[in-house]
Amino acid sequence: DAMVIQNPRYQVTQFGKPVTLSCSQTLNHNVMYWYQQKSSQAPKLLFHYYDKDFNNEADTPDNFQSRRPNTSFCFLDIRSPGLGDAAMYLCATSKVEGSGEKLFFGSGTQLSVL
Amino acid sequence: SQQGEEDPQALSIQEGENATMNCSYKTSINNLQWYRQNSGRGLVHLILIRSNEREKHSGRLRVTLDTSKKSSSLLITASRAADTASYFCATDGENFVFGPGTRLSVLP
């Protein structure tokens, strides 16, 4: 089945140690999103790619970077994780940008920072 | 700032009862979507309602939209224990903006 896959399901890193989360999709969607979700809060959009065009949210810290080497894969790099970066990170896709498009989510990666 | 705000924050009901969740938003929209999230998992799209629609049904789900009040409601009829989850509304715009969600507990 076509889907959005996130690996790993759980990730533990140390304070200040770079970490990369990955997302792949078999839907052949043009848009890929990264959301951060802290406990009992709404998912917060960090950035998204429309094809190769990168769109960063204004309040996304510089500590967060992303790469999309091809249509299927997208990575979230956290350069120097702090304790406040512990959260669920959700990858999502949509066919195109714009109103009326629904999002398809992966199962998320739960990041712990020790 | 968040566009959608769900109400109540938490709701606990017995199996078989109906559950109603509300969403209010601030600016004009083209459509509004509802998503469900099981604990520790990703979100799953439930239903989309466009600004020119007032009501939409999908199985046991009924969504209403009142653009004059900038509000929407999600009704789950004949709830089941498996409906226990968080429910989020999301409004459109350049990017999707999610409200804080309603945590629904359906007790067997």
Side-chain angles (χ1 to χ4, degrees):
Chain A
D1 287 341
M3 56 176 59
V4 181
I5 302 166
Q6 290 188 245
N7 286 305
R9 184 79 181 84
Y10 299 94
Q11 176 74 57
V12 180
T13 190
Q14 292 179 326
F15 183 93
K17 185 175 181 180
V19 65
T20 295
L21 309 181
S22 43
C23 176
S24 64
Q25 54 126 344
T26 59
L27 297 162
N28 204 32
H29 282 174
N30 294 104
V31 193
M32 295 188 78
Y33 307 79
W34 278 105
Y35 284 85
Q36 178 193 63
Q37 185 180 28
K38 296 188 176 179
S39 182
S40 301
Q41 295 185 20
K44 179 180 179 297
L45 182 64
L46 295 174
F47 26 59
H48 76 280
Y49 275 94
Y50 186 11
D51 292 332
K52 292 185 178 181
D53 292 333
F54 179 68
N55 299 271
N56 198 31
E57 293 301 296
D59 56 355
T60 298
D62 292 340
N63 198 24
F64 292 87
Q65 304 284 318
S66 186
R67 296 170 282 136
R68 189 179 186 186
N70 53 53
T71 300
S72 301
F73 286 88
C74 195
F75 300 98
L76 170 62
D77 300 309
I78 308 177
R79 293 193 294 188
S80 181
L83 298 179
D85 297 327
M88 171 75 87
Y89 289 88
L90 296 164
C91 174
T93 71
S94 65
K95 191 180 294 186
V96 293
E97 273 180 335
S99 179
E101 289 298 317
K102 68 179 184 180
L103 299 179
F104 293 79
F105 282 85
S107 294
T109 294
Q110 183 67 51
L111 177 69
S112 299
V113 181
L114 303 180
Chain B
S1 61
Q2 288 179 349
Q3 170 76 309
E5 294 280 338
E6 290 90 346
D7 165 56
Q9 289 187 347
L11 178 62
S12 185
I13 59 173
Q14 294 292 133
E15 209 165 22
E17 294 180 339
N18 296 341
T20 300
M21 290 159 271
N22 303 297
C23 169
S24 59
Y25 56 92
K26 297 175 183 175
T27 62
S28 296
I29 61 170
N30 295 310
N31 64 69
L32 184 144
Q33 304 186 35
W34 284 91
Y35 287 79
R36 166 199 166 118
Q37 184 180 35
N38 285 11
S39 180
R41 310 296 291 184
L43 282 74
V44 176
H45 180 267
L46 293 175
I47 196 165
L48 179 152
I49 187 165
R50 303 191 187 282
S51 60
N52 61 354
E53 297 175 311
R54 290 296 167 258
E55 188 171 310
K56 202 162 183 180
H57 296 255
S58 177
R60 293 184 296 112
L61 305 180
R62 173 180 168 245
V63 170
T64 62
L65 180 63
D66 187 335
T67 53
S68 67
K69 295 181 180 178
K70 293 187 169 56
S71 68
S72 173
S73 68
L74 170 67
L75 168 67
I76 304 174
T77 60
S79 64
R80 306 166 183 167
D83 294 328
T84 295
S86 291
Y87 293 82
F88 295 89
C89 67
T91 53
D92 69 326
E94 188 172 340
N95 298 306
F96 293 92
V97 180
F98 288 90
T102 292
R103 293 185 303 281
L104 174 66
S105 297
V106 181
L107 306 175

